[in-house]
Amino acid sequence: MEANCNMINMDDTCELVANNNVGFPTDAANNGIHKPSLLGANKTTLGHHVARRLVEIGIKDVFTVPGDFNLILLDYLVAEPELNLIGCCNELNAGYAADGYARYKGVGACVVTYNVGGLSILNAIAGAYCEDLPIICIVGGPNSNDYGSNKILHHSIGLPDYTQELCCFQPVTCHQVVVNNLDDAHERIDTAIATALRESKPVYISIACNLSAIPHHSFIDQPLPFYLTPKLTSERCLEIAVEITSEFLNKAVKPVMVGGPRLRMAKASDAFMEMVDASGYAFAMLPTAKGMVEESHPNFLGTYWGPASTPFCAEIVESADAYLFAGPIFNDIVSFGFTLPIKKDKAIMVLPNRVMIGNGPNIGCVSMKSFFEALAKRLKRNTTAFDNYQRIHVPDGLPIHPNPNEALRVNVLFRHIQNMLSSHTTVIAETGDTWFTCQKLKLPQGCGYEFQMQYGSIGWSVGATLGYAQAAPHKRVIACIGDGSFQMTVQEVSTMLRCEQNGIIFLINNGGYTTEVEIHDGPYNVIKNWDYAGLVERIDNGEGKCWTAKVHCEEELTEAIETAMESKKNSLCFIEVIVHKDDTSKELLQLGCIFAAFNSRPPKDH
């Protein structure tokens, strides 16, 4: 599980304190922009309060696009010495960057302008909501005097009602506030930030454009620490849940455990692994939980994904007489069209604050982390399922070694990417066939892994790569992106270069939307081919901050990787990989057939 150095642990402390390890950014760290001092400005203002609160919760970088409604607030964020403002090419990418940043730091922030910015970033915030990521999404709103005035403003949809943006954010954020009055601004902003951290979801804060620079008695020079109300665990409910679950698992002959994506939200990955160590159980992960469990552990089976599972993993999980799922979400992709043969009477489902035991009770007010810590002490050691796995397991085969100048195959590409991984790298996998190919990578201990399988917004990975790399400069990000996805959000490579990042982007050029082709083919799945490596060179514009290559065979790939890892290790490296349009994983072929059938079901009355 990736270390998270700035995440506030709700179980250990409720107090938010300033991060004393955050240094003052230099001009280079601030993208070459000189910070206005504002030193003579009154520090008892809303703008100063927002800036200090972001620093307090561990944020060093804020992703933004300027607009006339947020400019004064941006002045205060720029003037805060412990914040670095990163201007993005568009609001959607700023949201994706905040998403990537939150995956490492534990919280992210973005600032955009009213309506045209807010509605543009909305898709990224929806994805963060699905992935349980706390993001502070701040929007510069209309002047406080205009609320209720019946005036029609620019950036609106031509109506005097200013609530359209708020209404759109309500389904994809856990808390929303519109700050158009200084009297309660302090409380409303603090409540929103605290709610984002407690619920591990995005929040929406709209701040009237004329309020940021106005002093108010509720704001002080150094904001007082504020407190989060923790989600409480009932000791009695915890005792009952542990008692029933331990009895359920201890009487099983071959129990197994499976990690799910809400391990992140519950901050329970370490507790899950402690339970594995204590019990000796074989364990697997759902595909959406890759990177959240320790794949180097000897009892790790691989990915449980129905027919797309790691070889011999599904056989062990599905033949178990008891299975514990930690934080699962069984959507149509994870369940392969809802075909997983999981039996309710054998299953214990552990959610972030609830335990569901087979056909037995459903027990609330129980935190997943506390539950695992207590359960680990009550489980009898049982290695039967893992012993069975060792009996039937046959080591993975390797791709056939191609001829020196043979056209490159995707499975050969990922064999080489596997050899690049270490505790100093993080893989970011774009939506599409890279879901399946990257899923097969074996992550060394400490190697990060991020993707967006629940929401599946293509183009997400470009902004997320920017945000993650900014949050974890000591990590080298390796992003695997398809050509169709890259065309959606390519502009943010510009920001990576401006921030002098050194990630490695593998652009997999197969001439179209391969995932859609396998579900339902048509002329709309073909896209205009670009000279992707040449385009990135043009974006760099001769500044020498990137290195690019275009490879067609394994020999060229080997040379490119060696250059990226050695002589160009401090540069952004972009490797365009030319592959055949039909070179896909077997898992995509399987899922494509299932989705085609699932999507084409006739109405029930036909």
Side-chain angles (χ1 to χ4, degrees), residues 461-479:
S461 65
V462 182
T465 295
L466 164 68
Y468 192 100
Q470 198 64 25
H474 59 288
K475 289 275 193 180
R476 192 136 195 224
V477 177
I478 299 173

Side-chain angles (χ1 to χ4, degrees), residues 57 134-137 174-179 185-199 201-206 226 228:
I57 63 174
I135 291 180
I136 315 302
C137 180
C174 67
H175 192 83
Q176 312 84 33
V177 296
V178 176
V179 179
H186 178 286
E187 180 182 356
R188 303 188 81 188
I189 289 169
D190 286 3
T191 298
I193 293 173
T195 304
L197 295 172
R198 186 175 60 249
E199 301 297 328
K201 296 282 189 183
V203 294
Y204 164 85
I205 303 174
S206 174
F226 65 101
L228 300 177

Side-chain angles (χ1 to χ4, degrees), residues 550-569:
K550 185 179 294 190
V551 302
H552 303 79
C553 62
E554 186 177 25
E555 184 177 1
E556 293 175 352
L557 175 67
T558 302
E559 292 176 3
I561 290 175
E562 182 178 354
T563 300
M565 297 294 284
E566 299 296 337
S567 62
K568 297 297 181 180
K569 63 183 178 181

Side-chain angles (χ1 to χ4, degrees), residues 372-437:
F372 287 162
E373 290 172 344
L375 184 60
K377 300 171 184 176
R378 301 283 293 275
L379 293 179
K380 297 177 182 177
R381 191 163 182 83
N382 185 339
T383 63
T384 303
F386 185 69
D387 294 340
N388 290 342
Y389 171 75
Q390 289 184 304
R391 290 187 188 97
I392 67 173
H393 179 252
V394 177
D396 294 342
L398 295 175
I400 298 173
H401 196 76
N403 295 323
N405 295 309
E406 181 182 331
L408 192 59
R409 297 196 304 271
V410 170
N411 56 19
V412 173
L413 166 65
F414 279 89
R415 185 184 69 198
H416 284 273
I417 292 176
Q418 175 68 66
N419 294 333
M420 299 169 68
L421 303 185
S422 72
S423 61
H424 303 295
T425 59
T426 289
V427 176
I428 292 193
E430 177 56 75
T431 298
D433 197 26
T434 45
W435 275 351
F436 304 96
T437 47

